[in-house]
Amino acid sequence: ATELIIANSDSGGNNFSYWRSKTVDPDNLYEDAKIRFLLFDTESGQNLYMDDTPETNLFERSIFVGGWIYSLFNKLMMDCPQFREDFVRTYFDLCNENFSAEKVLKRLDELKKMYAFPMAETIDRFDYFSFVDVNTPHLRNMECFEHEFGKLYEFWQVRDNIAKKQLTDYLGDKVSSET
């Protein structure tokens, strides 16, 4: 769900990681031999690259190019009502709680303040620059930092509502009023 919400256009395919226990222990919640996916290689989301925007819709892309993970996901979403209900509930909970615009923007403000000074030192030390796009010259020094945070702010100001609409559009008449 998180990969889709953050619009990580590089997810699925070869960019995934998972784990599972090899044994089953009824006294240990996570030792049940179920596969659990991890967040992995997420830099292609959140408007960090030139081709990703808050409107990036992985539900549209995943049907055709998502690799085996999205093929499995699409099959489960269409054919397994319990999986679909659980996924939709989790997805909307994440959009409304963890990834609400208010919460994310507040946290970005905190992180920007926390990292501004160390980033300035690092940028000065290593002469970092950022490639913005083919029509914009390289940004140097703290312009890079400001530019990158600006892209994050732009993304998260609207992403939670866009992400919710994308899921309901993807499911069409398979969305139940209970979720």
Side-chain angles (χ1 to χ4, degrees), residues 104-169:
V104 174
L105 295 173
K106 181 181 176 195
R107 184 64 177 145
L108 283 174
D109 286 338
E110 294 167 359
L111 291 169
K112 186 176 179 185
K113 288 176 189 168
M114 183 181 355
Y115 286 107
F117 180 73
M119 282 303 297
E121 286 184 327
T122 301
I123 288 168
D124 286 343
R125 180 176 179 194
F126 295 105
D127 195 30
Y128 175 78
F129 67 91
S130 174
F131 179 74
V132 180
D133 64 45
V134 293
N135 299 314
T136 305
H138 295 309
L139 298 177
R140 294 205 170 269
N141 302 325
M142 286 305 284
E143 289 177 325
C144 301
F145 182 76
E146 294 293 333
H147 177 75
E148 298 300 328
F149 260 92
K151 292 193 303 187
L152 288 168
Y153 282 111
E154 176 186 316
F155 183 86
W156 287 109
Q157 285 171 348
V158 295
R159 182 60 187 169
D160 57 345
N161 290 323
I162 291 171
K164 288 185 269 191
K165 183 174 182 334
Q166 288 173 345
L167 177 59
T168 56
D169 288 351

